[in-house]
Amino acid sequence: MNTPPSPPPGASLVPYGQGHARGLDATELGVHGMEMDSLVRLGLPTVPGLTIAVSHAADLTDATVARGAVDLLSALAGRHVGQADRPMLLRLVASAPVPAAGLPPMVAGLGLSLDTAPALCAAIGRAEMLYDTWAATVRIIAEGALDVPADDLDDLVLDNPAPARRLHALLETCKRVGTRPYPDDPAEQVALAATALLARWRSPRGRRARAAQSLPADTGIALHLQALLIGPWARSGHGTATSRDPETGAFSPSGAFHRGVRRSEAPGVPGEPLATMPAGADLLREALATLEHHFRAVAQVGFELRDGELALLSAAPLEHPSPQAAMRLAVDLTRAGTLDQAAAVRSVRPEQVQALLHPQLRLRGGEPLLVHGLAASPGAASGRISLSSLRALDLAADGVPTVLVMTETTPADVPGLLAAEAVVTTGGGLASHAAVVARGAGKPAVCGASALRVDPAAGLVTVDGRELREGDMLSVDGRSGDVYVGAVEIRPASPSAELDVLLGWADDHRRLGVRANADTAGDAATAVRLGAEGIGLCRTEHQFLGERLPLVRRVILAADADDERRALAALADAQREDFRDLLRAIGDRPVTVRLLDAPMHEFLPHDGDYEDARQAARAAALHEANPMLGVRGVRLALLHEGLYPAQVDALFSAWIDVVAEGIRPALEVMVPLVSVPRELALVAGQVADVAGQVHRRTGVAVPYRVGTMVETPRAALLADQLAAHAEFLSFGTNDLTQLTYGFSRDDVESRLLARYIDRGLLAASPFAELDPDGVGALLAIAVRRARATRPDIKIGVCGEHGGDPASIATLEPLGLDYVSCSPQRVPVARLAAAQATQATQATQATRSSGERTS
Ligand code: PEP
Ligand code: MG
């Protein structure tokens, strides 16, 4: 049998600030003892106090030990209980070795007796306050140490709302029903308070609380005896403060000040602003500044003011600082030399950057939640419900903010989606059409809200029997996936100068390049403004949305070769314009233009939309049961051999146009949905032919690279063969995830994946967070094989995962060159990439030091 370790010498009564010197840590000092220890060592004002270490806490139930503790405390405070001119009371507090809920309450009014009370009431000037605190103290001790039944005490408290009467009734009940009367002697009171607190901690309720937090059942507590220095009401009180203004993030202590004595339960009133504190504000400010540097985090403190003298009661890093505060703190601490830039970059979470870049709902609690769906595109907006994109366009034209609510969107709905403030779909997932378009446009979106039923004909939206009409107000939180009924106040996006500074540091600490998925000049300009180094994916089919849809449709549905040629010429004309604008916006940076990847179901006309019977018949003939696995990507180009050459001609011509204006983008032509290496070879040949034709026609040899998407498992496995024809590869992880799992990216997320996650089969949607084991393994194989063929091949990711911090952490060690994501996610990706680089370097350093020592 193991014998328990004997406690360290001198461990029983430890004045605040001496624990460290005695070699004690939180296992003996408790969390509070540790906190106070470091506050004293930082030279900050604290209440005089001492810790009775965990292994000796039970000793304090002995009145002799308690007397020793009270005497030591009196020496530390320079006053003693009962002293008339500089009065003092005692307070007993418990803390566990780790932060824990369910700790016994503090006992704040020890040292009072009927003899000494009048003088104290006079000193404070508020008798009621004193009696209230005193009664609460007697109540805890009566129940926990004098065996007075809790029910009797509850009745008594209810029957005696006036504090002084309550106190007298409690003292009387202790005498009558308790194991002994409530003592006058301060040391005996302390011993009984210790008994009560330890009994609480050991009670079934305390054990249940420990079990709920997975704390060992035998976890002990340290007890802390504090001097409660008494001063006049007008110059005394207590409060809490944090170092930063949550709205602006500036160093500006904010919090609440309460008159009276601090108690366990939260004060029922909001308190006064710190500015009304009668004294101590400057010292509080200095303490918070010191603590920020010590914690390297936003600091929060509990404090007490007695007769104008400030003393700290607790101090800890704030667990959930506002994004503004986290950002400004990181920059301020770095400028002051407390953090280096790498540490500053690590200290801010990517979600905090995202929160700064998007408007957010200012929720106050109680807002009526309509439905919860997938958080498909961040940001927040309110608007009137539109059940069709046409209705959304009408409302927007009248200046009425609107939220588009549909089962799913198609390219035909894009103008309405762009006119709306936000979009909600009942179907679709994170890689669905609505999600991709909304993210690209920076609009909030909630997708896969499957509990919602939409009936456009009746103009109704229903969920669980609740009915809303087209035109009713909704508020959408694209970050949480929540949709609320009515208008909720919106906090605007608040990007700051500090954010730019921090992202600049992130750029210096990342290895991965960050590009944007941008289809239009507007997207490209946003991307550049947000720090993208180029375009990693221009989905050319997105240039044919809404009213330009017929340009693609005509090619697909062409009646004969002449018809197709005319359709291609029209398409190329429109595209040359678009490319010119896009290239101007991106400047001298690289631009990866993906040739058309038009899934049939998105581009074919639907019922009621046909130009004539011939078109209807042709569309019916082209209908596919499984369009995401059908005639998409490069496959369409094999059926319409003029398609890609027409697009490439438009691109090269546009490049020549902008070069004449002094802009020289680096062109990359990318082929989608390849699974057979010869598909790529064929298109690469077409591109070379077009380059030759353009050269002959204009005299300009357009420099370009050809590469391919890797978005089928076969392409990943044959990356060595693809690399023979490709100067770059870009992983389309949306399709690669879809095809690796066999999960439809449009269908499975809302219902099926939610179940997988609930049942613990998956930790997250693999469309949101890259699957490191399956898809990640394919990526690793592809990178290795491609580099074996072409060591300098450039490799990136342009699926949605390119903007997801967790996925970036998976991608970084694979040695990719860049990630590409929607423009709004570029800042997040810059920070996440810098954090991923540092994590990879740290892992490598640990590994190589392990190798050296083994
Ligand atoms: C992908 O599949 O990851 C990709 C980027 O292409 P898209 O989303 O356009 O299919
Ligand atoms: Mg794809």
Side-chain angles (χ1 to χ4, degrees), residues 144-188:
L146 303 179
D147 292 348
V148 180
D151 287 350
D152 291 6
L153 293 165
D154 289 342
D155 289 349
L156 181 158
V157 169
L158 283 175
D159 292 347
N160 293 281
R165 286 189 58 150
R166 183 157 72 238
L167 182 265
H168 282 104
L170 281 162
L171 293 177
E172 186 51 39
T173 302
C174 290
K175 198 182 291 171
R176 214 168 18 84
V177 189
T179 47
R180 55 175 284 195
Y182 189 83
D184 285 345
D185 175 26
E188 284 182 38

Side-chain angles (χ1 to χ4, degrees), residues 737-790:
T737 300
Q738 167 166 258
L739 296 173
T740 302
Y741 279 92
F743 279 154
S744 160
R745 65 193 261 189
D746 292 306
D747 300 311
V748 296
E749 269 174 304
S750 50
R751 280 183 56 222
L752 185 65
L753 288 192
R755 193 58 187 269
Y756 271 67
I757 292 165
D758 281 353
R759 299 293 300 269
L761 303 182
L762 289 174
S765 162
F767 291 104
E769 207 174 304
L770 190 87
D771 154 42
D773 304 326
V775 181
L778 279 173
L779 260 54
I781 292 171
V783 170
R784 189 161 27 83
R785 294 190 178 168
R787 294 228 163 102
T789 302
R790 194 190 285 261

Side-chain angles (χ1 to χ4, degrees), residues 597-618:
D597 177 7
M600 281 292 160
H601 67 310
E602 289 190 11
F603 285 85
L604 285 179
H606 298 281
D607 283 353
D609 204 10
Y610 304 119
E611 282 175 11
D612 50 34
R614 189 202 66 79
Q615 203 191 49
R618 180 101 176 102

Side-chain angles (χ1 to χ4, degrees), residues 614-700:
R614 189 202 66 79
Q615 203 191 49
R618 180 101 176 102
L622 294 179
H623 172 81
E624 294 173 324
N626 216 336
M628 291 308 268
L629 301 179
V631 182
R632 284 183 59 193
V634 68
R635 301 166 194 175
L636 188 67
L638 274 138
L639 295 179
H640 300 273
E641 292 209 13
L643 177 61
Y644 282 0
Q647 285 198 286
V648 174
D649 195 310
L651 176 65
F652 288 177
S653 302
W655 187 85
I656 293 170
D657 294 342
V658 300
V659 165
E661 299 166 13
I663 302 167
R664 220 182 151 79
L667 292 186
E668 297 175 343
V669 179
M670 182 156 76
V671 186
L673 215 77
V674 163
S675 53
V676 179
R678 294 268 308 138
E679 292 167 333
L680 176 62
L682 203 136
V683 177
Q686 289 182 343
V687 177
D689 289 348
V690 174
Q693 289 158 16
V694 170
H695 190 184
R696 283 192 291 283
R697 193 172 72 224
T698 63
V700 180

Side-chain angles (χ1 to χ4, degrees), residues 539 594 597 632 672-673 709 711 732-736 745:
R539 293 175 164 103
R594 183 177 78 183
D597 177 7
R632 284 183 59 193
L673 215 77
M709 302 275 293
E711 46 191 343
T733 46
N734 303 332
D735 276 311
L736 193 57
R745 65 193 261 189

Side-chain angles (χ1 to χ4, degrees), residues 90-95 100-110 133 136-144 190 192-203 205-206 221-224 226 262-266:
L90 305 166
R91 173 165 49 197
L92 194 65
V93 181
S95 77
L103 284 168
M106 75 168 67
V107 187
L110 297 166
T133 304
T137 303
V138 177
R139 162 84 178 72
I140 293 169
I141 289 177
E143 183 185 341
V190 168
L192 289 175
T195 306
L197 295 196
L198 289 167
R200 280 266 186 139
W201 184 243
R202 291 179 194 133
S203 69
R205 200 168 87 188
I221 44 172
L223 295 174
H224 312 278
Q226 294 174 351
R262 186 164 173 260
R263 303 253 295 266
S264 267
E265 65 275 22

